[in-house]
Amino acid sequence: MTREHFELRLYVAGQTPKAIRAFANLKRICDEHLAGQYSIEVIDLLDDPRLGRGDQILAVPTLVRRLPEPIKKIIGDLSNTERVLVGLDLRAK
Amino acid sequence: MPTSVPVPLSIPKSPTGVSGLDEITAGGLPTGRPTLIAGGPGSGKTLLGISFLVNGIRHYGEPGVLMTFEENAAELAADVASLGYDLQTLVDAGQLVIDYVHVERSEIEETGEYDLEGLFVRLDHAIRSVGAKRLVLDTLESLFSGLANETILRAELRRLFRWLRDREITVVITGERGERTLTRHGLEEYVTDAVIQLDHRVHEQISTRRLRIVKYRGSAHGTNEYPFLIDAGGIGVLPVTSLGLQHQVSSERVSTGIPDLDAMLGGDGHFRSSTVLVTGSVGTGKTTVAAHFVEAACKRGERCLHFLFEESPLQLIRNMQSVGIDLAPWVERGQLVLHADRPSRHGLETHLVLMHRAVEALNPSIVIVDPMTNLLSVATAGDVRTMLTRLIDFLKGRGITALFTSLSAPNTSPESAEAMISSLMDAWLVMSADLDGRRRRRWLYLLKARGMAHSDEVREFHFTRHGVQLRPANLPDRP
């Protein structure tokens, strides 16, 4: 496995059950598969709605993989680990 | 026994500022509620939506938000610039927000539950930032191609429309026409207040745009298909006015520009805002008579609009100079507008819209249509009659005199040829020509002149260097 750094952003709108679930799922997946090579930034659109524009956020929660490129987006509460791994390019489709 | 149900006089409405549309909808779109505009590609949905926003800002003091899911900024600006709108100025003035939403399904993986709160937050921010009263969502259906989970999407759309209603914002949603349904993804299911359908048809290479109000809850509305036009003057819809007979009747008489004809009409010329038909075969002088009407009006300081369906403006000016009528100075002063067009360039409906526009722009006291018979080349006689009825109705409503020339085939009775429109006409001049030995002689008589003690003489019609003269016929010489 490569030692690339994963820069991840999780967009939410308020501390909703879906948002909390998504963060927990993401943390668990990263610890299992990307230990020591990731960072997660949580952005709450309720704090500043303009922050969602750049990444074209409509659905929440949305996980955006900023690095490594290309940019990837995964929407939903990240409850399906396999799909998340595929979405992050950590597993072939 | 009919039960009486209390019906409010009318629901509050937000005018679109689109000429004609506000008349058909009796005031505009339902205030604080969503209206769906459905139509195929290129039917003008986006431009209609943007006109609603721009007019709201310019004329009704209502800031707006355009959320577009399709076009990019440059394409959109070019599109609306063709209508003469400069959106950037409105954005800079803090009256308009344009938000480009881009959903690319190929970039997105979906896993588990989500909602569209990100869209709501974004919309809410845009609305608040300018205090928007009007919103256009163009085209919301793009979300269906961007998001895979249709169950979530539909639930969220339902929530979105409730949310918009709670905010009492007047919304236009555009939707792509479906094969069997009004919109491809059934947006009409969510919008129950008002639905407008746009259509763009091309028949025999003539394109016609039409608009129809499919539904308007709580309001009376026109139910026909109405022709509409998109050009540099913006969007205009032509309401089909009922042929009311309530027009103001003028008893003022004005000169036809031909003293002999004035005399035949009882001495004072024709009634202002009457409708005059001039019929005759080729080369009998119909256009010259029309030119006299025009010149007389210009000399009175009035404005004239002359539609030419046969000659070019320069041809007309040159030909009339040869009989002593100089139209050029009036064109230069802007009192006379010569509007030349090929009948085959548009469908009848479009011609009618263009004529309305030209009349509204100039506000003339007299309108000439020369020759109206050329319109028969693009439509049936019945359609032309309907169109003329509408045109005459429109002109009478504005107190405008109308003169139509009509080319009749030689050797046909004028009564039969123009019977279809004769009832619409207040005065009817018939012109003819025949051969008398070595000379072609022209004749003119009045077939009718409502409300005037008019001459029943057949006069001989002479072109002179100073215009037309009508001399008493030398009866023994008449064939």
Side-chain angles (χ1 to χ4, degrees), chain B residues 101-313:
Chain B
V101 178
H102 178 71
V103 223
E104 184 62 63
R105 189 170 188 161
S106 62
E107 292 173 0
I108 299 175
E109 191 73 34
E110 295 184 22
T111 159
E113 278 181 50
Y114 59 89
D115 56 49
L116 295 184
E117 193 59 31
L119 175 68
F120 285 69
V121 166
R122 191 159 158 176
L123 206 45
D124 185 57
H125 177 254
I127 291 168
R128 280 170 197 274
S129 66
V130 290
K133 300 269 181 265
R134 298 181 178 209
L135 166 68
V136 172
L137 297 170
D138 178 47
T139 292
L140 206 49
E141 286 183 315
S142 302
L143 290 175
F144 283 90
S145 58
L147 298 168
N149 192 328
E150 205 175 306
T151 312
I152 289 182
L153 182 50
R154 290 198 178 272
E156 286 297 277
L157 285 181
R158 203 160 282 124
R159 185 162 75 97
L160 175 66
F161 286 111
R162 268 203 310 274
W163 185 88
L164 291 169
R165 279 202 181 88
D166 289 346
R167 269 160 189 72
E168 293 181 348
I169 189 159
T170 309
V171 190
V172 165
I173 295 118
T174 63
E176 200 71 39
R177 189 179 60 205
E179 282 195 18
R180 283 193 193 76
T181 49
L182 209 49
T183 60
R184 200 186 295 162
H185 295 281
L187 285 182
E188 58 272 26
E189 181 189 328
Y190 309 99
V191 182
T192 51
D193 298 285
V195 178
I196 296 174
Q197 191 175 21
L198 302 183
D199 187 25
H200 187 197
R201 273 176 241 165
V202 178
H203 180 65
E204 289 179 352
Q205 280 137 49
I206 293 168
S207 99
T208 307
R209 296 174 183 279
R210 284 164 198 268
L211 177 150
R212 188 165 73 92
I213 314 289
V214 177
K215 175 174 177 179
Y216 199 146
R217 184 183 272 182
S219 170
H221 62 84
T223 51
N224 292 339
E225 279 195 311
Y226 301 92
F228 77 101
L229 196 69
I230 300 175
D231 66 9
I235 295 189
V237 181
L238 186 69
V240 183
T241 49
S242 55
L243 186 62
L245 295 171
Q246 318 286 331
H247 309 299
Q248 290 283 327
V249 175
S250 172
S251 53
E252 186 193 347
R253 302 277 282 261
V254 286
S255 171
T256 62
I258 306 171
D260 294 335
L261 183 57
D262 291 346
M264 287 176 78
L265 288 164
D268 304 310
H270 65 92
F271 284 120
R272 195 180 275 288
S273 80
S274 62
T275 307
V276 181
L277 176 66
V278 180
T279 60
S281 52
V282 181
T284 48
K286 299 180 295 296
T287 300
T288 311
V289 170
H292 270 297
F293 275 72
V294 165
E295 191 190 34
C298 287
K299 282 183 176 165
R300 289 192 296 267
E302 299 164 10
R303 286 183 298 277
C304 304
L305 182 57
H306 195 143
F307 293 101
L308 298 160
F309 289 115
E310 198 166 68
E311 289 179 298
S312 74

Side-chain angles (χ1 to χ4, degrees), chain B residues 241-437:
Chain B
T241 49
S242 55
L243 186 62
L245 295 171
Q246 318 286 331
H247 309 299
Q248 290 283 327
V249 175
S250 172
S251 53
E252 186 193 347
R253 302 277 282 261
V254 286
S255 171
T256 62
I258 306 171
D260 294 335
L261 183 57
D262 291 346
M264 287 176 78
L265 288 164
D268 304 310
H270 65 92
F271 284 120
R272 195 180 275 288
S273 80
S274 62
T275 307
V276 181
L277 176 66
V278 180
T279 60
S281 52
V282 181
T284 48
K286 299 180 295 296
T287 300
T288 311
V289 170
H292 270 297
F293 275 72
V294 165
E295 191 190 34
C298 287
K299 282 183 176 165
R300 289 192 296 267
E302 299 164 10
R303 286 183 298 277
C304 304
L305 182 57
H306 195 143
F307 293 101
L308 298 160
F309 289 115
E310 198 166 68
E311 289 179 298
S312 74
L314 289 176
Q315 256 178 323
L316 176 76
I317 289 170
R318 184 201 62 199
N319 295 349
M320 291 307 117
Q321 277 166 347
S322 73
V323 290
I325 304 171
D326 193 3
L327 299 177
W330 308 114
V331 172
E332 277 162 33
R333 286 192 204 176
Q335 267 178 266
L336 170 61
V337 172
L338 300 173
H339 203 287
D341 209 344
R342 271 180 218 286
S344 58
R345 253 188 60 197
H346 318 284
L348 216 47
E349 302 287 11
T350 308
H351 275 298
L352 191 50
V353 179
L354 288 167
M355 290 165 98
H356 267 236
R357 278 250 172 104
V359 168
E360 274 166 0
L362 186 67
N363 199 17
S365 73
I366 178 166
V367 168
I368 313 284
V369 180
D370 181 25
M372 66 160 206
T373 20
N374 275 24
L375 293 169
L376 285 166
S377 63
V378 294
T380 64
D383 287 344
V384 172
R385 187 190 195 281
T386 309
M387 174 205 172
L388 289 177
T389 307
R390 283 154 60 182
L391 181 62
I392 290 167
D393 197 39
F394 168 68
L395 296 175
K396 284 209 170 210
R398 292 175 157 251
I400 298 171
T401 301
L403 185 149
F404 299 87
T405 71
S406 172
L407 177 66
S408 49
N411 307 321
T412 56
S413 137
E415 287 87 346
S416 71
E418 278 82 20
M420 65 170 197
I421 49 161
S422 68
S423 66
L424 304 171
M425 301 295 164
D426 299 313
W428 187 346
L429 278 63
V430 178
M431 305 178 69
S432 62
D434 57 37
L435 294 176
D436 170 31

Side-chain angles (χ1 to χ4, degrees), chain A residues 24 45 93:
Chain A
L45 296 177
K93 287 195 185 188

Side-chain angles (χ1 to χ4, degrees), chain A residues 16-93:
Chain A
T16 63
K18 275 194 284 271
I20 293 164
R21 213 156 54 228
F23 182 74
N25 285 331
L26 179 62
K27 190 85 174 58
R28 177 178 47 76
I29 293 166
C30 288
D31 284 340
E32 282 171 24
H33 299 272
L34 289 168
Q37 55 173 120
Y38 73 92
S39 59
I40 299 173
E41 182 187 6
V42 177
I43 295 176
D44 190 339
L45 296 177
L46 297 186
D47 294 340
D48 189 349
R50 285 171 297 186
L51 294 176
R53 277 208 189 187
D55 280 324
Q56 288 287 349
I57 303 304
L58 299 182
V60 285
T62 294
L63 172 63
V64 178
R65 185 187 80 174
R66 306 278 299 173
L67 284 175
E69 287 187 321
I71 287 180
K72 293 273 179 183
K73 284 183 198 167
I74 307 170
I75 60 181
D77 62 10
L78 311 177
S79 55
N80 183 329
T81 304
E82 284 304 307
R83 298 283 295 265
V84 176
L85 293 175
V86 169
L88 289 174
D89 273 345
L90 291 171
R91 188 156 299 174
K93 287 195 185 188

Side-chain angles (χ1 to χ4, degrees), chain B residues 3-40:
Chain B
T3 52
S4 86
V5 180
V7 178
L9 277 179
S10 179
I11 59 171
K13 292 182 184 178
S14 299
T16 61
V18 171
S19 80
L21 184 56
D22 291 337
E23 291 161 47
I24 305 169
T25 54
L29 305 182
T31 300
R33 299 190 157 266
T35 296
L36 173 65
I37 300 178

